[in-house]
């Protein structure tokens, strides 16, 4: 694969990851969870309801999983509803 094709494929992968984070942000917002896209849509910063550090969520594992807490926590990207539920519960602790 030439360098132009590699760049195009990388751009598509980044857009897919950004779209996954956008979907998750929207699901969290419907639950009243404050989350914002950061770093050119490569990360989602999820604010805790009480004072504390936010949780940073990324798309990893080849675009297959949302991951947070240094990748100790993860959830499949194709289950946005479930990921929003798990994250909402996680930040409530």
């Amino acid at each position: 694969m030439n360098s132009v094709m590699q760049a195009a494929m990388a751009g598509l992968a980044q857009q897919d990851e950004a779209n996954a984070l956008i979907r998750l942000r929207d699901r969290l917002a419907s639950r009243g969870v404050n989350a914002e896209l950061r770093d050119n849509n490569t990360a989602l910063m999820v604010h805790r309801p009480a004072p504390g550090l936010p949780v940073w969520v990324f798309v990893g594992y080849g675009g297959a999983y949302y991951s947070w807490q240094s990748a100790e926590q993860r959830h499949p990207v194709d289950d946005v509803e479930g990921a929003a539920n798990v994250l909402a519960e996680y930040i409530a602790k």
Side-chain angles (χ1 to χ4, degrees):
M1 183 179 305
N2 66 38
S3 60
V4 173
M5 290 295 293
Q6 287 176 334
M9 295 300 289
L12 289 175
Q14 286 177 333
Q15 188 60 49
D16 288 345
E17 292 174 7
N19 289 338
L21 290 171
I22 291 167
R23 286 191 301 274
L24 180 57
R25 180 206 55 196
D26 293 346
R27 291 295 170 109
L28 289 168
S30 72
R31 289 168 175 68
V33 175
N34 183 13
E36 59 186 277
L37 292 162
R38 301 299 293 261
D39 300 331
N40 293 325
N41 297 346
T42 60
L44 186 66
M45 185 171 68
V46 182
H47 299 278
R48 295 180 183 275
L53 295 173
V55 174
W56 288 86
V57 180
F58 303 91
V59 174
Y61 300 94
Y65 289 92
Y66 295 110
S67 64
W68 61 96
Q69 194 61 35
S70 300
E72 291 176 17
Q73 302 288 322
R74 65 182 183 201
H75 197 88
V77 168
D78 61 359
D79 179 20
V80 180
E81 189 75 29
N85 290 336
V86 170
L87 262 168
E89 183 178 314
Y90 182 79
I91 64 163
K93 292 179 184 178

